[in-house]
Structures are given as C-alpha cells and as structure tokens.
Amino acid sequence: MVKRIAVIDKEKCNPIGCGDFLCIRMCPLNRMGKEAMTKGSDGKAHIDENIANDACQVCVNICPFGAIHMVKLPDKLTSKPIHRFGKDSFILYNLPLPSFDKVVGIIGRNGIGKSTALKILAGVMKPNLGEPESGEKDINDLIDMYRGTEVQKFLEKIKSGDITIAYKPQAIQLLPDQVKGKVRDLLEKANQNGRMDEMVTRLELSNVLDRDIEDLSGGELQRMAIAATVLKNANFYFFDEPASFLDITSRIKVAKLIREMANYHTAVMVIEHDLTTLDYISDQIQILYGEPAVYGIITQTKPVRRGINEYLDGFLPDDNIRFRPYKITFSRGIEKHGQTPVLFEWPDLTKTFTSFKIKINAGKIHKGDVLTITGSNGLGKTTFLKMLTGMIEPDGGELKDKVRIAYKPQDLIPQAGTVKDWLDKVAKDHDSGWFKQNILEKLSLQTIIQNNISDLSGGELQKVFIAVTLSQEADVYAFDEPSAFIDVEDRIKVAEVIRDFMIKKETCAIVVDHDVQFLDFIGDEMLVFHGEQGKEGSVKGPLGKREGMNEVLKMLGITYRMDQQTKRPRINKIGSQLDITQKKEGKYYYA
C-alpha cells in the first residue's frame, strides 16, 4: 500500500504565473531523466508518485502557488481509498456510517472530503475506489470493499431498495441556476409526506412562497432547501452545512427540526462548521482528518462530546494519531478587568425606509475591544454598520467623531488580479514581517498570495477580505459575518487574529455574526438586535460580555454550560435538570 502520496492541486496550479512550469524545469529527478514532473493533458503540471521521492520536496517548496504536495500517510492507515479525483489528485479514505434513530455529525476542515463522502453515500457521485483510470464503480464493488462491517449492511439496504435518500446539498447558492419557478411550486413538488404547511410555518417561508427562486436571499434559499429535503419520503436524510446563510434564531430552529427527524426507522447525517449547532444536533460524531486538497480519512463513530473534544485536541487516542500539532482552545476570560480609553462613540441613531425603520441606542467602544452584534436577519444590523461608515445617512442623530472605519461587507465580490495585487493597492505594510506573521501566516494566506482572487474558495476569499480590511489604516474595523464559509479551525484563528490586532494596534472592532461560539470567543461587549423582521429593529446594549450572551441565549431559549476539558460552551439538553435550573435562575450563560 502507498504510504506516501503526491498531489497537485489543479485549481492552484498556474503554469503561466510561475513562468512556464517552474516545477518541471527545477525538478532534480527530471534533470536525472526520470520525468517525475510532466505537463498533463489538462495543461497543468503532473507528478508521478511512483517516481517521486523526497527529492521532489524541491518542487513543493518552489511552487509559488502552494499547489504541490508530497505527504506521508499515517502508518496505521490500512484501508483502501474510496475515491481519487485523478492520478495525482485528492484521495478520500473510508465512508461515514449512518445510524438509525441517531443524528450523526461530520466534522472536519474545508477541502478534506466531507461533501464528497456524503455524495458517494447518497448515490449522487460514483466512487472509483482510488483507481481513476479504471472508471466508476457500482454499489457491489463498495459492498465487497466493506464486507464484514456495519457499512456493508447499510450499503446492502441501499442496493435492495430499503433505503430512500433525501439530500440537502452544500452549495445552495447554485439552486437558482438549477431550479426555476416559484418557491411554492418547488415545495409542492417535493411534498411527498404532506408536511408542507408545517414546514412553511416552522421555517418561516410563508412570505416567500410566491416569489421566484432566483430572487431569494441566501438564508431564504437555505430554508427552502431544508424544507424541500424534509418534505421527501425518505429514511436517510443528509444535510450538508444547514446553518450557513442562516441567522442566529433560524439556526436553532433548524437544529431542533433536524434533531426531531431521527427515529427507529430514520437515519440523519449532518456536516456543519458551527460547533454550537453541530453539538446540539448530533448524537454521534465522525471526524474527517487529513490535509486539505490532499487526502481525507474518516474515523470511527464516537459519542458527540468525545468526538468534538478529540477533534479540538487534534489527537485520536484509539488510533494513536495526532493529526494537528496544536489544540483548539476556548480559554478566553469572560470580561476584561479595567477600562481602556474610549476610542469611538455614536449617538442615538434612527433611520426610516419605505417599509422598515431602525432605532439605535447611543454607545461607545474602548481601545482594544471587540464589540459583537447579533440578532435575526432583517433587523438592521448591516444598516447600522453602514450608518457608522457613512454609506447610509441616518435620519436622526449625527456622528460627530470623524474616525476612519475599515469595513468588510457581508457579500464577497471577488476583485480582479491576484491576492498580492489587491494587498498592494490597499496596504502599505502587508510585506512587513509583523503583517506576514500575524495576519497572512495565521490565516494561511501566504500559500495563495500569488493566486487569482477569482479562483479562491469561499473560505479563502473570506480570509482575504479580512486580511485586506486589517491592512487598512483605520481607527475602527467593522466586519459583517466574518465566520461565513470558514471551517472550525479557521474561525478560531480569525477570532484570534482580529482580537490580537485590536490590542496590538490600540484600535477597536465591530463584528456582526451568527455563530454563537465565535461571538462568545471574540467579544468584549455586545449589541443584541430585537424587533420584527423586515419592519422594525431596535437594540439592547451595549452590554457586558456575560449580560450580552445571557440576553442572546434567552432570546434563543437555550442555556449554556462549559465543557470542563476544552472550556468550550455547550448547549444544555432542553428540559434537562441543568437547563431548567439555569432558566429558573435567569442564568442562560454558563457560570
């Protein structure tokens, strides 16, 4: 079995940008006549892992786009590949194991094969068992591969027709290109179990039923896709990132809905980066580890607390494998001691549109602090940020402080050129050692600095926008949903980068987001938006960290406890003794 693999990330490979196949010209093995690196039929570089050896680390190191990988696989890996996208492309090992009467959560980094695994299990994609040149395999080949395991039993049920699958895809933003017509038409077509009225009510879709699908927002598309999936007669439901694009209240509603679906006759599987949502939804966890764009390995099923904690720890005791050299921790204090000087203040603000009005309380931010903002969509959070930046003029109240505000918008529109080109335009010191070490390296952007912005993934693009925002000279840095499209590890890194930057530069930040755990980790104070979606919004706060989080959790109807091992907040089971006690005492946030 191959213990070392060679992979070229075709999306990052840029032969023109490196001066006509730099890796081929510089490869030591090529100079010896062995042709380890060649030009492929797709116009990209190709690496032959049967020839390549440690000498090919030269090519790994000289590629300016970070496209070449020479990786040693774990010694204890004995399973055969499930799928390989090409002779020198990403490899997936193992399949996740569904469980009836359980919600199985899948956790792992972006680009590590989670969606690929679900697509194969759902029958959306045919695997090749690691042999791309031999073509697709059928379900009999998979059954033979997993003979004697629980996965074999499940695959045989699929073959016999005992399993009916409903699949909610990850890329819901592509739905308008794939499905035309009204929301009502799509839901009526999907309504196999007669629950359409219930789903419309629970997922708040009544006001969009007669709208064209192409006119929906991201959150509306997500709720429609979830409803359409639930409405199908199936006994195996897949949900690929159901919390993305949803606001803080919708995430909890969707989580409750998905939890209810698992029963003796029904299995549910969920991929999710929002740890709070994943923890709340799941009964069991399977970890997918490896190296993004290179390989991914799925572990055995674990109890939810243990699985998430092992993922955060980066170590799998059962396999004696450390897949990450550091732990992900949540060991930040509740609130700062002592006050720093006030950097920015705003007065009472009001703004009235044709069908919407917003009222904002006066507030202030201190040097080094991060003010977080949360609440349902359609209550004016983004409008508030745009009033502070001067993009929208308030009707009542005047911003007297003339401060410089750098703003990262919610909608990420790619720029032309490379990442470096963009930084060159807006930043004076992005080439400095401090910026490279504390921003670019921590956000893993050094390896894509020469890549075209239009070729980046959603997570990469989000991190570039954050870096560009931080590269500007400003007094206040405003971020609208910086955790979107980003996996668990990078969400913590983003929080640390923003927080540390504010302290180092003695500036301050305002962060709008819907990931409660991200808000808990990054924030010092909080604004909580209330009101009626699309009609009026008002604000409670600024509130201290504890008071603000307590207000948010009360609004959501959930209580938190702290995991003693990782210090991460966890949602108490609704109706549990701890949940009842905390609600009775009004202590929704952990003590």
Side-chain angles (χ1 to χ4, degrees):
M1 179 181 172
V2 176
K3 287 296 183 180
R4 184 188 299 277
I5 59 172
V7 171
I8 293 184
D9 188 338
K10 304 299 182 181
E11 292 185 359
K12 292 183 178 179
C13 179
N14 185 351
I16 297 176
C18 70
D20 193 21
F21 295 95
L22 178 65
C23 56
I24 295 176
R25 291 186 282 111
M26 299 299 294
C27 176
L29 294 176
N30 277 23
R31 293 182 175 186
M32 296 168 61
K34 294 186 178 182
E35 293 193 340
M37 301 290 303
T38 58
K39 180 179 178 180
S41 58
D42 57 359
K44 305 282 187 174
H46 169 71
I47 185 168
D48 189 333
E49 65 188 21
N50 294 316
I51 298 176
N53 57 36
D54 287 338
C56 286
Q57 291 294 340
V58 172
C59 303
V60 172
N61 294 329
I62 67 170
C63 177
F65 306 105
I68 306 174
H69 306 270
M70 177 69 68
V71 177
K72 185 177 182 295
L73 294 171
D75 292 332
K76 294 190 177 184
L77 178 64
T78 58
S79 58
K80 296 180 179 179
I82 290 295
H83 189 75
R84 189 163 195 179
F85 286 90
K87 288 184 178 181
D88 57 354
S89 298
F90 178 86
I91 311 178
L92 175 67
Y93 293 88
N94 301 334
L95 285 176
L97 175 62
S99 180
F100 286 94
D101 199 28
K102 297 286 192 300
V103 178
V104 178
I106 308 294
I107 187 171
R109 299 212 65 180
N110 284 334
I112 209 164
K114 301 185 301 299
S115 295
T116 298
L118 252 65
K119 288 176 181 178
I120 291 173
L121 207 54
V124 175
M125 176 179 172
K126 298 289 186 181
N128 57 32
L129 305 189
E131 301 173 353
E133 65 278 1
S134 64
E136 298 175 346
K137 308 296 182 182
D138 62 24
I139 194 163
N140 291 314
D141 296 307
L142 276 176
I143 290 172
D144 289 341
M145 183 174 182
Y146 280 100
R147 193 161 299 282
T149 68
E150 291 298 315
V151 176
Q152 177 205 347
K153 297 177 183 179
F154 194 86
L155 291 171
E156 286 179 339
K157 288 182 179 180
I158 293 178
K159 180 182 177 182
S160 63
D162 295 332
I163 299 293
T164 304
I165 296 169
Y167 173 59
K168 200 289 296 179
Q170 176 192 42
I172 53 94
Q173 67 272 23
L174 301 180
L175 286 177
D177 296 326
Q178 301 166 351
V179 185
K180 302 297 181 182
K182 307 288 185 183
V183 173
R184 185 189 301 276
D185 297 334
L186 182 143
L187 295 182
E188 286 178 346
K189 185 178 180 179
N191 189 25
Q192 298 173 354
N193 54 27
R195 299 178 63 188
M196 179 172 165
D197 289 343
E198 177 193 352
M199 289 303 105
V200 168
T201 300
R202 294 188 65 173
L203 295 175
E204 300 176 319
L205 293 167
S206 58
N207 63 330
V208 300
L209 283 176
D210 295 314
R211 283 169 55 186
D212 288 328
I213 293 172
E214 63 184 6
D215 294 331
L216 299 184
S217 68
E220 291 164 345
L221 280 171
Q222 184 71 276
R223 286 183 278 124
M224 180 195 71
I226 292 169
T229 305
V230 175
L231 290 175
K232 294 178 180 177
N233 276 331
N235 53 3
F236 187 18
Y237 292 88
F238 287 103
F239 295 92
D240 197 343
E241 297 191 27
S244 61
F245 297 100
L246 295 184
D247 63 36
I248 193 168
T249 53
S250 293
R251 292 185 185 201
I252 296 300
K253 290 178 181 179
V254 164
K256 289 178 179 178
L257 172 63
I258 294 175
R259 272 202 64 83
E260 294 170 6
M261 295 177 65
N263 57 50
Y264 183 75
H265 302 288
T266 307
V268 180
M269 190 165 281
V270 178
I271 291 175
E272 187 51 62
H273 292 304
D274 183 331
L275 268 189
T276 303
T277 301
L278 182 70
D279 192 356
Y280 181 70
I281 288 179
S282 306
D283 299 298
Q284 298 174 334
I285 290 290
Q286 286 192 262
I287 297 169
L288 211 161
Y289 70 94
E291 186 171 329
V294 182
Y295 74 95
I297 302 172
I298 299 175
T299 67
Q300 298 175 349
T301 302
K302 305 171 185 290
V304 61
R305 177 182 179 274
R306 177 186 166 193
I308 292 179
N309 284 356
E310 285 185 8
Y311 180 77
L312 296 176
D313 193 44
F315 179 70
L316 305 173
D318 292 343
D319 304 306
N320 193 29
I321 290 175
R322 175 159 291 286
F323 61 87
R324 191 191 317 111
Y326 59 89
K327 297 180 180 180
I328 297 174
T329 61
F330 299 87
S331 56
R332 193 180 182 208
I334 298 298
E335 294 186 60
K336 293 181 178 178
H337 297 287
Q339 290 285 348
T340 55
V342 172
L343 180 60
F344 176 57
E345 295 185 70
W346 67 88
D348 291 339
L349 298 171
T350 59
K351 181 67 179 179
T352 301
F353 299 93
T354 303
S355 58
F356 177 76
K357 61 181 180 180
I358 183 174
K359 181 181 179 181
I360 306 292
N361 300 332
K364 56 188 176 183
I365 315 177
H366 296 263
K367 283 186 178 181
D369 278 2
V370 177
L371 174 71
T372 57
I373 300 176
T374 195
S376 298
N377 284 336
L379 297 181
K381 300 184 302 297
T382 298
T383 299
F384 172 55
L385 289 189
K386 290 184 176 180
M387 283 196 287
L388 295 184
T389 61
M391 298 169 68
I392 293 177
E393 286 291 330
D395 298 327
E398 182 181 353
L399 291 166
K400 296 180 180 179
D401 289 345
K402 300 300 181 182
V403 298
R404 299 167 298 173
I405 299 179
Y407 174 57
K408 187 209 78 71
Q410 180 183 19
D411 297 324
L412 307 180
I413 301 174
Q415 303 286 314
T418 67
V419 175
K420 187 177 186 303
D421 291 338
W422 195 9
L423 286 169
D424 284 340
K425 291 178 183 178
V426 300
K428 295 181 179 179
D429 65 345
H430 74 275
D431 284 328
S432 70
W434 187 92
F435 193 88
K436 286 181 178 178
Q437 181 179 356
N438 292 279
I439 307 296
L440 299 182
E441 289 183 9
K442 286 186 178 180
L443 294 181
S444 303
L445 296 179
Q446 283 285 55
T447 57
I448 63 170
I449 197 76
Q450 299 292 346
N451 290 58
N452 288 321
I453 296 171
S454 59
D455 295 334
L456 302 182
S457 68
E460 290 170 336
L461 186 61
Q462 182 73 266
K463 291 187 290 181
V464 169
F465 264 83
I466 291 168
V468 166
T469 304
L470 291 174
S471 71
Q472 300 173 48
E473 290 289 335
D475 304 297
V476 181
Y477 294 82
F479 301 88
D480 202 341
E481 298 192 28
S483 78
F485 311 112
I486 294 180
D487 59 40
V488 174
E489 295 184 40
D490 278 338
R491 289 185 186 195
I492 299 302
K493 290 179 182 177
V494 164
E496 289 176 340
V497 163
I498 292 174
R499 190 188 68 197
D500 294 346
F501 183 92
M502 300 310 136
I503 295 172
K504 170 72 175 178
K505 299 294 185 179
E506 295 187 325
T507 58
C508 61
I510 303 173
V511 176
V512 173
D513 212 272
H514 295 296
D515 183 334
V516 180
Q517 203 145 13
F518 179 80
L519 294 170
D520 184 24
F521 184 74
I522 195 174
D524 297 294
E525 292 189 306
M526 179 174 285
L527 294 180
V528 182
F529 275 63
H530 294 275
E532 187 174 354
Q533 289 179 292
K535 292 187 177 181
E536 62 177 335
S538 60
V539 172
K540 189 168 185 178
L543 305 172
K545 172 88 173 274
R546 184 181 299 282
E547 187 182 0
M549 287 300 299
N550 202 65
E551 179 70 19
V552 170
L553 298 178
K554 184 178 180 180
M555 177 179 67
L556 299 176
I558 58 176
T559 55
Y560 262 7
R561 69 187 185 279
M562 180 185 287
D563 185 89
Q564 294 304 308
Q565 180 180 338
T566 63
K567 306 303 180 185
R568 68 181 173 92
R570 300 188 67 198
I571 299 177
N572 293 320
K573 184 178 180 181
I574 293 179
S576 66
Q577 187 61 48
L578 189 56
D579 180 63
I580 293 171
T581 300
Q582 287 185 218
K583 285 178 177 176
K584 185 177 180 180
E585 296 176 352
K587 297 178 180 178
Y588 289 76
Y589 191 53
Y590 54 79

